[in-house]
Amino acid sequence: MSLEFSADATKKIAALCERYPTKQPVVMAALHLGQKEFGQLSDDVLRLVARTLDLPYAHVYGVATFYTMYRREPSGVQTIRMCTNISCMLRGGYDVLAAFEQKLGVSVKTGGTTTNKQFTLIEEECIAACANAPCAVVGTKYYLDITPDQVGRIIAELEAQPHPESEVV
Amino acid sequence: MPADLGTKLVSMRFGNEDAKTLAGYEKAGGYATLRKGLAMRPEDITAEVKTSNLRGRGGAGFATGVKWGFVPKDAKTVHLVVNADESEPGTCKDRELMYWDPHLLIEGMILSAHALKAVHNYIYIRGEMMREYLVLQHAVEEAYARGYLGKNVVGTGIECHITVHRGAGAYICGEETALLNSLEGLRGQPRLKPPFPAVKGLFGDPTIVNNVETIMNVPFIIDKGGAWYAGLGTGRSGGTHLLCVSGHVEKPGVFEVPMTMTFRQLIDEVCGGVWKGRKVKAVIPGGVSMPPLDDSELDVPIEFDALQNDERIKPVMVRPGQQFDLGGGRPLRTMAGSGGVVVLDDQCDIPKAVWRIMKFFAHESCGQCTPCREGTGWLEKVSRRVADGNGKPDDIELLSSIAHGIAGNTICALGDAAAWPMLGFITKFRGDFEAKLKKARAA
């Protein structure tokens, strides 16, 4: 099946191509856009990016599989990136992660996506909010100084006011 | 008694929502230095930055003006790339800086680009920093609309462009040559040096890669002079020091402090002491890549040269009786790194904390060099079994040997960044590892 970018994405890609001497550097932004428009980076989406930027499929595949934010598999509407790195671990980050797993009924080890596909929970490496550890980021929204008993409220808040990462692209 | 924190530069607008907008930034005196700087000759700006003793705030602490001087004089096309890929665990300053003061970064970039005669410039921002990306993107658009960026910057005839380039999750892209590859649309794997980016960098052109905080200091240097800036600091380290304090302190935070402040002053006087009335066990001085300090080493100032050379800091050992050799017999003490100070209290499970650090490096190794790809994985596995109480009798020697096998044998510094803290923690907290192994034997 041959996919197409939306008019908006096509315009964004064309504008970005003006900012670099070749089209190749736009591959990262095009992959972000592809993920936004098609939910995941399937082989067809990679072919679309390759065709759009005149790049070999293998090149696009190589880039898409190097960076952790690109997803080859489907995931939840919102991604909860919970840090457990050193500063967060020292102040109970793993307890907060466990509370998220329990409330969402998921395990980060088995993908972390809820059955209703609303959330994907990820054990994230340092998100640069160490002075407010433990912390999590969901799209543009940071949750700081989290305690395990706040996790239920955070999930309810995100259900009422979602922060999907695709908003940023 | 709270310490006198002295002059505030890059953090002066923290908490001021208004300053994020162009109008608010201008009202607070922003972009006033731009015209002064653009009227100066490029080489005079570089000279001021050299005089200022400004040192790179991303990790290596290299003298910024000297780095700029490496661009070949006859270069036709030059780029300035700002490294906003902040992801060194324990470091949370660049994200704050970009969020609160995006126009200070842009003003610093325009001035620096003028010094370098760089036209097409980029900010490489970490993919996970979505809120900050929007703030920066908006600020760049405002700056274009106002004529601070574009083909004719404030009517001076100087051309300057900034493009904000989003990453997609990879710690390694904070390494400058990996960053350049990523910016070119490749997998973020480091390049062999030489050639250094200042000679052959982005798109094959001479390129200067500087950290966010480094560039944000430039407007102050141009405004008040390199000598003034150098005078704020000490020795060969000019200016103030922005530190991110996290872990077991009462009051964690991002603090701009004098270069002469010691770790003990920082913890006790700025951060309200160790939490829960406990004592310090270990301090990571500048992000997890840096070897730790123990409680007896905290009266050293948090300054680039002191952390490398002060003899009160014990050298890192490969094994008892053998110092780690940085080259020519030079001992490895530690480094100021990225300003990420992590405090571990006296009840902290050190082997478990070390395992978490090793897990990070194993996850982030780009896979290009065998010693790092395989070695970080083994460091994670072996440190995990030690931390879990399932260690084998020779595991301390095994961890040291793996770490020593990685250090210095890889294209980039990520390998060293995993090896140094491993060796450093074993050097200074060997008893904690031995206790775990003793427990494993008893079980």
Coordinates of all heavy atoms in Angstrom, one line a residue, chain A residues 16 19-21 24-25 27-28 32 59 61-63 65-70 81 84-87 89-91 94 123-131 137 139-140 142 165 168-169, chain B residues 86 89-92 95 122 126-128 130-133 144 162-163 165 167-169 182-188 203 246-249 252-253 288 342 353 355-356 359-360 364:
Chain A
L16 N 11.3 22.6 5.8 CA 12.6 22.1 6.4 C 13.7 21.9 5.4 O 14.9 22.1 5.7 CB 12.3 20.9 7.3 CG 11.7 21.1 8.6 CD1 11.2 19.8 9.3 CD2 12.7 21.9 9.5
R19 N 16.2 24.5 4.9 CA 17.1 24.9 6.0 C 18.4 24.1 6.0 O 19.3 24.4 6.8 CB 16.4 24.6 7.4 CG 15.0 25.1 7.6 CD 14.9 26.6 7.6 NE 15.7 27.2 8.6 CZ 15.6 28.6 8.8 NH1 14.9 29.4 8.1 NH2 16.4 29.1 9.8
Y20 N 18.5 23.2 5.1 CA 19.8 22.3 5.0 C 20.2 22.3 3.6 O 19.4 22.4 2.7 CB 19.5 20.9 5.6 CG 18.9 20.8 6.9 CD1 17.5 20.9 7.1 CD2 19.7 20.7 8.1 CE1 16.9 20.8 8.4 CE2 19.1 20.6 9.3 CZ 17.7 20.7 9.5 OH 17.2 20.6 10.8
P21 N 21.5 22.0 3.4 CA 22.0 21.9 2.0 C 21.5 20.7 1.2 O 21.5 20.8 0.0 CB 23.5 21.8 2.2 CG 23.8 21.5 3.6 CD 22.6 21.9 4.4
Q24 N 18.7 15.1 3.2 CA 18.9 14.0 4.1 C 18.7 14.4 5.6 O 18.1 13.6 6.4 CB 20.4 13.5 3.9 CG 20.7 12.3 4.8 CD 22.1 11.7 4.5 OE1 22.3 11.2 3.5 NE2 23.0 11.9 5.5
P25 N 19.2 15.6 6.0 CA 19.0 16.0 7.4 C 17.5 16.0 7.9 O 17.2 16.0 9.1 CB 19.7 17.3 7.6 CG 20.6 17.4 6.4 CD 20.0 16.6 5.3
V27 N 15.4 13.8 7.5 CA 14.9 12.5 7.8 C 14.3 12.4 9.2 O 13.3 11.8 9.4 CB 15.9 11.4 7.5 CG1 17.1 11.5 8.4 CG2 15.3 10.0 7.5
M28 N 15.0 13.0 10.2 CA 14.5 12.9 11.6 C 13.1 13.5 11.8 O 12.2 12.9 12.3 CB 15.5 13.4 12.5 CG 16.8 12.6 12.6 SD 17.9 13.1 13.9 CE 17.1 12.4 15.3
H32 N 9.5 11.8 12.6 CA 8.5 12.3 13.7 C 7.1 12.5 13.1 O 6.1 12.2 13.7 CB 9.1 13.6 14.3 CG 10.1 13.5 15.3 ND1 10.0 12.7 16.4 CD2 11.4 14.0 15.4 CE1 11.1 12.8 17.2 NE2 11.9 13.5 16.6
H59 N 18.6 3.4 4.4 CA 19.1 4.5 5.2 C 18.0 4.9 6.2 O 18.3 5.1 7.4 CB 19.4 5.7 4.2 CG 19.9 6.9 4.9 ND1 21.2 7.3 4.9 CD2 19.3 7.8 5.8 CE1 21.4 8.4 5.6 NE2 20.3 8.7 6.2
Y61 N 15.6 3.2 7.3 CA 15.4 2.1 8.2 C 16.5 2.2 9.3 O 16.2 2.0 10.5 CB 15.5 0.7 7.5 CG 15.4 -0.5 8.4 CD1 14.1 -1.0 8.7 CD2 16.5 -1.0 9.0 CE1 14.0 -2.1 9.5 CE2 16.4 -2.1 9.8 CZ 15.1 -2.7 10.1 OH 15.0 -3.7 10.9
G62 N 17.7 2.5 8.9 CA 18.8 2.6 9.8 C 18.6 3.7 10.8 O 18.8 3.5 12.0
V63 N 18.1 4.8 10.4 CA 17.9 5.9 11.3 C 16.7 5.6 12.2 O 16.8 5.8 13.4 CB 17.6 7.2 10.5 CG1 17.2 8.4 11.4 CG2 18.8 7.6 9.7
T65 N 15.6 2.9 13.3 CA 15.9 1.9 14.4 C 17.0 2.3 15.3 O 17.3 1.5 16.2 CB 16.2 0.5 13.7 OG1 17.3 0.8 12.8 CG2 15.0 0.0 13.0
F66 N 17.6 3.5 15.1 CA 18.7 3.9 16.0 C 18.1 4.6 17.2 O 18.6 4.5 18.4 CB 19.7 4.7 15.3 CG 20.9 5.1 16.1 CD1 21.9 4.3 16.2 CD2 20.9 6.4 16.7 CE1 23.0 4.6 17.0 CE2 22.0 6.7 17.5 CZ 23.1 5.8 17.6
Y67 N 17.1 5.4 17.0 CA 16.6 6.4 18.1 C 15.4 5.8 18.8 O 14.5 5.3 18.2 CB 16.3 7.7 17.4 CG 17.5 8.4 16.7 CD1 17.7 8.1 15.4 CD2 18.4 9.2 17.4 CE1 18.8 8.7 14.7 CE2 19.4 9.7 16.8 CZ 19.6 9.5 15.4 OH 20.7 10.1 14.8
T68 N 15.4 5.9 20.1 CA 14.4 5.2 20.9 C 13.0 5.8 20.8 O 12.0 5.1 21.1 CB 14.8 5.2 22.4 OG1 15.0 6.6 22.8 CG2 16.1 4.4 22.7
M69 N 12.9 7.1 20.4 CA 11.5 7.7 20.3 C 10.8 7.2 19.1 O 9.6 7.4 19.0 CB 11.6 9.2 20.4 CG 12.0 9.7 21.7 SD 12.1 11.5 21.8 CE 10.4 11.9 21.9
Y70 N 11.5 6.7 18.1 CA 10.8 6.1 16.9 C 10.2 4.8 17.3 O 10.9 3.9 17.8 CB 11.7 6.1 15.7 CG 12.2 7.4 15.3 CD1 13.5 7.6 14.9 CD2 11.3 8.5 15.2 CE1 14.0 8.8 14.5 CE2 11.8 9.7 14.8 CZ 13.2 9.9 14.4 OH 13.6 11.1 14.0
R81 N 6.7 8.9 30.2 CA 8.2 8.6 30.3 C 8.6 8.8 31.8 O 8.8 10.0 32.2 CB 9.0 9.5 29.4 CG 8.6 9.3 28.0 CD 9.4 10.2 27.0 NE 8.9 9.9 25.6 CZ 9.4 8.9 24.9 NH1 10.4 8.2 25.3 NH2 9.0 8.7 23.7
T84 N 13.9 6.6 36.0 CA 14.4 5.9 37.2 C 15.9 6.0 37.3 O 16.5 5.2 38.0 CB 14.0 4.4 37.0 OG1 14.7 3.9 35.8 CG2 12.5 4.1 36.9
N85 N 16.5 6.9 36.6 CA 17.9 7.0 36.6 C 18.3 7.6 38.0 O 17.5 7.9 38.8 CB 18.4 7.9 35.5 CG 19.8 7.6 35.1 OD1 20.7 7.4 35.9 ND2 20.1 7.3 33.8
I86 N 19.7 7.7 38.2 CA 20.2 7.8 39.6 C 19.5 8.8 40.5 O 19.1 8.4 41.6 CB 21.7 8.1 39.5 CG1 22.4 8.1 40.8 CG2 22.0 9.4 38.7 CD1 22.9 6.8 41.3
S87 N 19.3 10.0 40.0 CA 18.7 11.0 40.9 C 17.3 10.6 41.3 O 16.8 10.9 42.4 CB 18.7 12.4 40.2 OG 20.0 12.7 39.9
M89 N 16.1 7.5 41.2 CA 16.2 6.2 42.0 C 16.4 6.5 43.4 O 15.8 6.0 44.3 CB 17.3 5.3 41.4 CG 17.4 4.0 42.1 SD 18.8 3.1 41.6 CE 20.0 3.5 42.9
L90 N 17.3 7.5 43.7 CA 17.7 7.9 45.1 C 16.5 8.4 45.9 O 16.5 8.4 47.1 CB 18.8 8.9 45.1 CG 20.2 8.4 44.5 CD1 21.2 9.6 44.5 CD2 20.7 7.3 45.4
R91 N 15.5 8.9 45.2 CA 14.3 9.5 45.9 C 13.1 8.7 45.6 O 12.0 9.3 45.6 CB 14.2 11.0 45.6 CG 15.4 11.8 46.1 CD 15.3 13.3 45.7 NE 14.5 14.0 46.7 CZ 14.9 14.8 47.7 NH1 16.2 14.9 47.8 NH2 14.1 15.4 48.5
Y94 N 11.7 4.2 41.5 CA 11.2 2.8 41.2 C 9.9 2.5 41.9 O 9.1 1.8 41.3 CB 12.3 1.7 41.5 CG 13.3 1.5 40.4 CD1 14.6 2.1 40.5 CD2 12.9 0.8 39.3 CE1 15.5 1.9 39.5 CE2 13.9 0.7 38.2 CZ 15.1 1.2 38.3 OH 16.0 1.0 37.3
E123 N 10.1 3.2 31.0 CA 11.1 3.5 31.9 C 12.2 4.3 31.2 O 12.9 3.8 30.4 CB 11.7 2.2 32.5 CG 12.8 2.5 33.6 CD 13.4 1.2 34.2 OE1 13.0 0.1 33.8 OE2 14.3 1.4 35.0
E124 N 12.2 5.6 31.5 CA 13.0 6.6 30.7 C 14.3 6.8 31.4 O 14.4 6.7 32.6 CB 12.2 7.9 30.6 CG 12.9 8.9 29.7 CD 13.1 8.5 28.3 OE1 12.2 8.5 27.5 OE2 14.3 8.1 28.0
E125 N 15.3 7.1 30.6 CA 16.6 7.5 31.2 C 16.4 9.0 31.5 O 15.5 9.7 31.0 CB 17.8 7.3 30.2 CG 18.0 5.8 29.9 CD 18.4 5.0 31.2 OE1 18.6 5.6 32.3 OE2 18.4 3.7 31.1
C126 N 17.4 9.5 32.3 CA 17.3 10.9 32.8 C 16.6 11.9 31.9 O 17.0 12.1 30.7 CB 18.7 11.4 33.1 SG 18.8 13.0 33.9
I127 N 15.6 12.6 32.4 CA 14.9 13.6 31.6 C 15.2 15.0 32.0 O 14.5 16.0 31.6 CB 13.3 13.4 31.7 CG1 12.8 13.5 33.1 CG2 12.9 12.1 31.1 CD1 11.3 13.6 33.2
A128 N 16.4 15.2 32.7 CA 16.9 16.5 33.0 C 16.0 17.3 33.8 O 15.7 18.5 33.6 CB 17.3 17.3 31.7
A129 N 15.4 16.7 34.8 CA 14.6 17.4 35.8 C 15.0 16.9 37.2 O 14.2 16.8 38.1 CB 13.1 17.3 35.6
C130 N 16.3 16.6 37.4 CA 16.8 15.9 38.5 C 16.6 16.6 39.8 O 16.5 15.9 40.9 CB 18.3 15.6 38.3 SG 18.7 15.2 36.6
A131 N 16.5 17.9 39.8 CA 16.3 18.6 41.1 C 14.9 18.5 41.6 O 14.6 18.9 42.7 CB 16.6 20.1 40.8
V137 N 7.8 12.7 32.3 CA 7.3 13.7 31.3 C 6.3 13.0 30.3 O 6.5 11.8 30.0 CB 8.5 14.3 30.5 CG1 9.3 13.3 29.7 CG2 8.1 15.4 29.6
G139 N 4.5 14.1 26.9 CA 4.4 15.2 25.9 C 5.1 16.4 26.5 O 6.2 16.4 26.9
T140 N 4.4 17.5 26.5 CA 4.9 18.8 27.0 C 4.7 19.0 28.5 O 5.1 20.0 29.1 CB 4.3 20.0 26.3 OG1 2.8 19.9 26.5 CG2 4.6 20.0 24.8
Y142 N 5.4 18.1 32.4 CA 6.3 17.5 33.4 C 5.5 17.2 34.7 O 4.7 18.1 35.2 CB 7.5 18.4 33.7 CG 8.5 18.4 32.5 CD1 8.3 19.3 31.5 CD2 9.5 17.6 32.5 CE1 9.2 19.4 30.5 CE2 10.4 17.6 31.5 CZ 10.3 18.5 30.4 OH 11.2 18.6 29.4
E165 N 2.4 13.0 22.4 CA 3.7 13.6 21.9 C 3.5 14.1 20.5 O 4.2 15.0 20.0 CB 4.8 12.5 21.9 CG 5.1 12.1 23.3 CD 6.3 11.2 23.5 OE1 6.8 10.7 22.4 OE2 6.7 11.0 24.6
V168 N 3.5 17.9 19.4 CA 4.6 18.7 19.4 C 5.2 18.8 17.9 O 5.8 19.7 17.5 CB 5.7 18.2 20.3 CG1 7.0 19.0 20.3 CG2 5.2 18.0 21.7
V169 N 4.9 17.7 17.1 CA 5.5 17.6 15.8 C 4.9 18.6 14.8 O 3.7 18.7 14.8 CB 5.3 16.2 15.3 CG1 6.0 16.0 13.9 CG2 5.9 15.2 16.3
Chain B
E86 N 21.0 17.8 26.3 CA 21.3 17.5 27.7 C 20.6 16.1 28.1 O 19.4 16.0 28.2 CB 20.7 18.6 28.6 CG 21.0 18.4 30.1 CD 20.5 19.6 30.9 OE1 19.3 20.0 30.8 OE2 21.4 20.2 31.5
P89 N 22.9 11.9 33.2 CA 22.1 11.8 34.4 C 22.7 12.7 35.5 O 23.9 12.8 35.8 CB 22.3 10.3 34.7 CG 22.4 9.7 33.4 CD 23.2 10.6 32.6
G90 N 21.7 13.4 36.2 CA 22.1 14.3 37.2 C 22.2 15.8 36.8 O 22.4 16.7 37.5
T91 N 22.0 16.0 35.5 CA 22.2 17.3 34.9 C 20.8 17.9 34.4 O 20.1 17.2 33.6 CB 23.1 17.3 33.7 OG1 24.3 16.5 34.1 CG2 23.6 18.7 33.3
C92 N 20.5 19.0 34.9 CA 19.1 19.6 34.6 C 19.2 21.1 34.5 O 18.3 21.8 34.9 CB 18.1 19.1 35.6 SG 18.6 19.5 37.3
R95 N 18.0 22.5 30.2 CA 16.5 22.4 30.0 C 15.9 23.6 30.6 O 15.0 24.3 30.1 CB 16.0 21.1 30.5 CG 14.5 20.8 30.1 CD 14.1 19.5 30.6 NE 14.0 19.6 32.1 CZ 13.0 20.2 32.8 NH1 12.1 20.8 32.2 NH2 13.1 20.2 34.1
Y122 N 22.6 25.9 14.0 CA 21.6 24.9 14.4 C 21.6 24.8 15.9 O 22.6 24.9 16.6 CB 21.9 23.6 13.7 CG 21.8 23.6 12.2 CD1 22.9 24.0 11.5 CD2 20.6 23.4 11.6 CE1 22.9 24.1 10.1 CE2 20.5 23.5 10.2 CZ 21.6 23.9 9.5 OH 21.6 24.0 8.1
R126 N 17.3 17.8 22.4 CA 17.0 16.4 22.7 C 15.5 16.2 22.4 O 14.6 17.0 22.7 CB 17.2 16.2 24.2 CG 17.1 14.8 24.6 CD 17.5 14.6 26.1 NE 17.0 13.4 26.5 CZ 16.9 13.0 27.8 NH1 17.4 13.7 28.7 NH2 16.4 11.8 28.1
G127 N 15.2 15.0 21.8 CA 13.8 14.7 21.4 C 12.8 14.7 22.5 O 11.6 15.2 22.3
E128 N 13.2 14.3 23.7 CA 12.3 14.2 24.8 C 11.9 15.6 25.4 O 10.9 15.7 26.2 CB 12.8 13.4 26.0 CG 12.9 11.9 25.7 CD 14.2 11.5 25.0 OE1 14.9 12.4 24.5 OE2 14.5 10.3 24.9
M130 N 10.1 18.2 24.8 CA 9.1 18.7 23.8 C 8.6 20.1 24.2 O 8.4 20.9 23.3 CB 7.9 17.7 23.8 CG 8.4 16.3 23.2 SD 7.3 14.9 23.4 CE 8.1 14.2 24.8
R131 N 8.4 20.3 25.5 CA 8.0 21.6 25.9 C 9.1 22.7 25.5 O 8.7 23.7 25.0 CB 7.8 21.6 27.4 CG 7.3 22.9 28.0 CD 7.1 22.9 29.5 NE 8.4 22.8 30.2 CZ 8.5 23.0 31.5 NH1 7.4 23.2 32.3 NH2 9.7 23.0 32.1
E132 N 10.3 22.4 25.8 CA 11.4 23.3 25.5 C 11.6 23.5 24.0 O 12.0 24.6 23.6 CB 12.7 22.8 26.2 CG 12.7 22.9 27.7 CD 11.8 21.9 28.3 OE1 11.4 20.9 27.7 OE2 11.3 22.2 29.5
Y133 N 11.3 22.5 23.2 CA 11.4 22.6 21.8 C 10.4 23.7 21.3 O 10.7 24.6 20.5 CB 11.1 21.3 21.1 CG 10.8 21.4 19.6 CD1 11.9 21.6 18.7 CD2 9.6 21.3 19.1 CE1 11.7 21.7 17.4 CE2 9.3 21.4 17.7 CZ 10.4 21.6 16.9 OH 10.1 21.7 15.5
Y144 N 13.1 36.1 14.2 CA 13.1 36.3 12.7 C 12.2 37.5 12.4 O 12.5 38.4 11.6 CB 12.6 35.0 12.0 CG 13.8 34.1 11.5 CD1 14.1 33.0 12.2 CD2 14.5 34.5 10.4 CE1 15.1 32.1 11.7 CE2 15.5 33.7 9.9 CZ 15.8 32.5 10.6 OH 16.9 31.7 10.2
I162 N 19.1 30.5 12.3 CA 19.0 29.4 13.3 C 17.9 28.4 13.0 O 16.8 28.9 12.7 CB 18.8 30.0 14.7 CG1 20.0 30.9 15.2 CG2 18.6 28.8 15.8 CD1 19.8 31.5 16.5
T163 N 18.3 27.2 13.0 CA 17.3 26.1 12.8 C 17.3 25.2 14.0 O 18.4 24.8 14.5 CB 17.6 25.3 11.5 OG1 17.6 26.1 10.4 CG2 16.6 24.2 11.3
H165 N 16.7 21.8 15.5 CA 16.6 20.4 15.0 C 16.3 19.5 16.2 O 17.1 19.4 17.2 CB 18.0 20.1 14.4 CG 18.1 18.7 13.7 ND1 18.1 18.6 12.3 CD2 18.1 17.5 14.2 CE1 18.2 17.4 12.0 NE2 18.1 16.6 13.1
G167 N 16.1 16.0 18.1 CA 16.6 14.6 18.2 C 15.4 13.7 18.4 O 14.3 14.0 18.3
A168 N 15.7 12.4 18.7 CA 14.7 11.4 18.8 C 15.0 10.3 19.9 O 14.6 9.2 19.8 CB 14.3 10.8 17.5
G169 N 15.8 10.7 20.8 CA 16.2 9.8 21.9 C 17.4 9.0 21.7 O 17.4 8.0 21.0
S182 N 24.0 13.0 13.5 CA 22.5 13.0 13.7 C 21.9 14.2 12.9 O 20.9 14.1 12.3 CB 22.2 13.0 15.2 OG 20.8 12.9 15.3
L183 N 22.6 15.3 13.0 CA 22.1 16.5 12.4 C 22.1 16.4 10.8 O 21.4 17.0 10.1 CB 23.0 17.7 12.8 CG 22.6 19.1 12.6 CD1 21.2 19.4 13.1 CD2 23.5 20.0 13.5
E184 N 23.0 15.5 10.4 CA 23.1 15.3 8.9 C 22.1 14.2 8.5 O 22.1 13.9 7.3 CB 24.6 14.8 8.6 CG 25.6 16.0 8.6 CD 26.9 15.5 8.1 OE1 27.1 14.4 7.6 OE2 27.9 16.4 8.3
G185 N 21.3 13.7 9.4 CA 20.3 12.7 9.0 C 20.9 11.3 9.0 O 20.4 10.4 8.3
L186 N 21.9 11.0 9.9 CA 22.5 9.7 10.0 C 22.2 9.1 11.3 O 21.6 9.8 12.2 CB 24.0 9.8 9.8 CG 24.5 10.4 8.4 CD1 26.0 10.7 8.5 CD2 24.3 9.4 7.3
R187 N 22.5 7.8 11.5 CA 22.5 7.3 12.9 C 23.5 8.0 13.7 O 24.6 8.5 13.2 CB 22.9 5.8 12.8 CG 21.9 4.9 12.2 CD 22.4 3.6 11.7 NE 22.7 2.7 12.9 CZ 21.8 1.8 13.4 NH1 20.6 1.8 12.8 NH2 22.1 1.0 14.4
G188 N 23.2 8.3 15.0 CA 24.0 9.1 15.8 C 25.2 8.4 16.4 O 25.3 8.1 17.5
F203 N 28.4 18.9 7.5 CA 28.4 19.0 6.1 C 29.8 19.1 5.5 O 30.0 19.7 4.4 CB 27.5 20.1 5.5 CG 26.1 20.2 6.1 CD1 25.6 21.3 6.7 CD2 25.3 19.0 6.2 CE1 24.4 21.4 7.3 CE2 24.0 19.1 6.8 CZ 23.6 20.2 7.3
S246 N 21.1 17.2 43.1 CA 20.0 16.3 43.2 C 20.4 15.2 44.2 O 21.6 15.1 44.6 CB 19.6 15.7 41.8 OG 20.7 14.9 41.4
G247 N 19.5 14.3 44.5 CA 19.8 13.2 45.4 C 19.4 13.5 46.8 O 18.4 14.2 47.0
H248 N 20.2 13.1 47.7 CA 19.8 13.1 49.1 C 20.2 14.4 49.8 O 20.9 14.4 50.8 CB 20.5 11.9 49.9 CG 20.0 10.6 49.4 ND1 20.8 9.5 49.4 CD2 18.9 10.2 48.8 CE1 20.1 8.4 48.9 NE2 19.0 8.9 48.6
V249 N 19.7 15.5 49.3 CA 19.8 16.8 50.1 C 18.4 17.3 50.4 O 17.5 16.9 49.8 CB 20.6 17.9 49.3 CG1 22.1 17.5 49.2 CG2 20.0 18.1 47.9
P252 N 17.1 20.2 46.9 CA 17.7 20.1 45.6 C 17.4 21.3 44.8 O 16.4 22.0 45.1 CB 17.1 18.8 45.0 CG 16.2 18.2 46.1 CD 16.0 19.3 47.1
G253 N 18.2 21.5 43.7 CA 17.8 22.7 42.8 C 18.9 23.0 41.9 O 20.0 22.3 41.8
V288 N 27.0 11.5 36.0 CA 27.4 10.2 36.4 C 28.7 9.7 35.7 O 29.2 8.6 36.1 CB 26.3 9.1 36.2 CG1 25.1 9.4 37.1 CG2 25.9 9.0 34.8
V342 N 25.4 15.0 42.3 CA 24.4 14.0 42.9 C 24.9 13.6 44.3 O 26.1 13.1 44.4 CB 24.2 12.8 42.0 CG1 23.1 11.9 42.6 CG2 23.9 13.2 40.6
A353 N 23.4 1.7 43.4 CA 23.4 2.9 42.6 C 24.4 2.8 41.4 O 24.1 3.3 40.3 CB 23.9 4.1 43.5
W355 N 25.1 0.0 39.8 CA 24.4 -0.8 38.8 C 23.5 0.0 38.0 O 23.5 -0.1 36.7 CB 23.5 -1.9 39.5 CG 22.5 -2.4 38.6 CD1 22.6 -3.2 37.5 CD2 21.1 -2.0 38.6 NE1 21.4 -3.3 36.8 CE2 20.5 -2.6 37.5 CE3 20.3 -1.2 39.5 CZ2 19.1 -2.5 37.2 CZ3 19.0 -1.1 39.2 CH2 18.4 -1.7 38.1
R356 N 22.8 1.0 38.6 CA 21.8 1.8 37.8 C 22.6 2.7 36.8 O 22.1 2.9 35.7 CB 21.0 2.7 38.8 CG 19.9 3.5 38.0 CD 18.9 2.5 37.3 NE 17.9 3.2 36.5 CZ 18.1 3.6 35.2 NH1 19.3 3.4 34.7 NH2 17.2 4.1 34.5
K359 N 23.6 0.4 34.0 CA 22.5 0.0 33.2 C 22.3 1.1 32.2 O 22.0 0.9 31.0 CB 21.2 -0.1 34.1 CG 19.9 -0.4 33.4 CD 18.8 -0.6 34.4 CE 17.5 -1.0 33.8 NZ 16.7 0.1 33.3
F360 N 22.4 2.4 32.6 CA 22.3 3.5 31.7 C 23.3 3.4 30.6 O 22.9 3.5 29.4 CB 22.5 4.8 32.5 CG 22.6 6.0 31.7 CD1 21.5 6.6 31.0 CD2 23.8 6.7 31.5 CE1 21.6 7.7 30.2 CE2 23.9 7.8 30.7 CZ 22.8 8.3 30.0
E364 N 22.8 3.0 26.5 CA 23.1 4.1 25.6 C 24.3 3.9 24.7 O 24.5 4.7 23.8 CB 23.3 5.4 26.4 CG 22.0 5.8 27.2 CD 20.8 6.2 26.4 OE1 21.0 6.4 25.1 OE2 19.7 6.2 26.9

